[in-house]
Amino acid sequence: MIDMPAKFQQFVTDFTKVIDQHHGDEPTILEKGGAVLKQLIEKDDWLPERYAKPDPQYYQQYLLHADPQDRFSVVSFVWGPGQKTPVHNHTVWALIGMMRGCEVGELFEYAEDGKSMRSLGSEQLNPGDVDCVSPTIGDIHRVSNLYEDRVSISIHVYGGNIGRISRHVFVVETGERKPFVSGYSNEAELKAVR
Ligand SMILES: [Fe+2]
């Protein structure tokens, strides 16, 4: 994307190389791509302010880069104090790199329609940590900002153009699934660039 810092542009170059070499090989992408993402998020010194802005009501998802062939996308997730996602899936692999603050991810297992979903436990992500989810290793989770008094930010990489993918949110108590497309918080800017 235009006007992004050199450090981020280098990350996109490096991640694109991983995808060029290993497209379709999920375990290798998660391993090698995870190492590339870790380099990006280890030092919180590059994210432009406009992609770090929280909203008082909703967590924000700013698209930072979309692969021209839709093989991956990079998003900054900005959590206001106490904000959390609904329980949701992705349908593609995802890497989560914690950069500022702290978040908690709770994995769930889908049982069957009408049955309550089982929690598989939660994990805390601290700055510098990289986590992953995918349909093959566990794809349903809920993510929360650990803090009630400050912003947390993580950088996510997905195996597709995540804001355009039709996926699901879940009702834990009943296992009910509802389709959703997340979109991006910077849609207006994306339209202007196109
Ligand atoms: Fe997620």
Side-chain angles (χ1 to χ4, degrees):
M1 303 209 85
I2 47 171
D3 289 342
M4 286 301 276
K7 184 174 172 181
F8 181 79
Q9 291 185 18
Q10 185 61 50
F11 162 78
V12 169
T13 301
D14 294 344
F15 207 98
T16 301
K17 268 186 210 152
V18 171
I19 297 292
D20 284 342
Q21 287 170 9
H22 304 289
H23 188 49
D25 177 359
E26 182 183 295
T28 304
I29 289 172
L30 293 180
E31 186 202 329
K32 293 189 185 296
V36 172
L37 177 61
K38 193 171 174 66
Q39 282 185 335
L40 176 72
I41 52 100
E42 259 175 346
K43 202 160 179 209
D44 179 7
D45 62 353
W46 58 270
L47 184 65
E49 197 46 48
R50 65 188 184 280
Y51 301 131
K53 268 201 318 260
D55 175 90
Q57 209 174 355
Y58 301 107
Y59 62 92
Q60 300 289 288
Q61 309 158 77
Y62 300 104
L63 179 67
L64 305 182
H65 174 76
D67 175 60
Q69 297 172 52
D70 276 353
R71 297 172 301 174
F72 72 100
S73 55
V74 188
V75 179
S76 67
F77 254 70
V78 182
W79 311 89
Q83 290 176 348
K84 64 179 171 192
T85 68
V87 176
H88 64 275
N89 68 359
H90 313 85
T91 75
V92 292
W93 57 259
L95 283 160
I96 299 150
M98 196 72 224
M99 193 164 76
R100 191 179 304 176
C102 193
E103 68 189 41
V104 177
E106 184 176 11
L107 267 180
F108 287 87
E109 186 177 59
Y110 178 76
E112 55 184 279
D113 282 354
K115 289 261 168 68
S116 176
M117 294 168 70
R118 193 161 70 95
S119 170
L120 299 176
S122 31
E123 203 174 18
Q124 187 174 313
L125 286 186
N126 297 304
D129 287 346
V130 173
D131 195 13
C132 49
V133 291
S134 92
T136 53
I137 59 175
D139 191 37
I140 304 175
H141 71 172
R142 172 169 54 207
V143 183
S144 327
N145 185 355
L146 178 77
Y147 295 116
E148 296 288 341
D149 61 352
R150 69 182 108 149
V151 168
S152 291
I153 299 179
S154 47
I155 305 299
H156 300 195
V157 188
Y158 297 93
N161 189 345
I162 193 68
R164 307 285 176 254
I165 291 174
S166 178
R167 46 202 178 117
H168 291 97
V169 293
F170 299 81
V171 180
V172 174
E173 294 73 23
T174 62
E176 186 190 347
R177 280 188 282 194
K178 297 173 188 167
F180 93 111
V181 177
S182 59
Y184 297 109
S185 305
N186 53 336
E187 291 288 359
E189 172 200 340
L190 298 174
K191 273 195 198 100
V193 170
R194 245 175 245 145

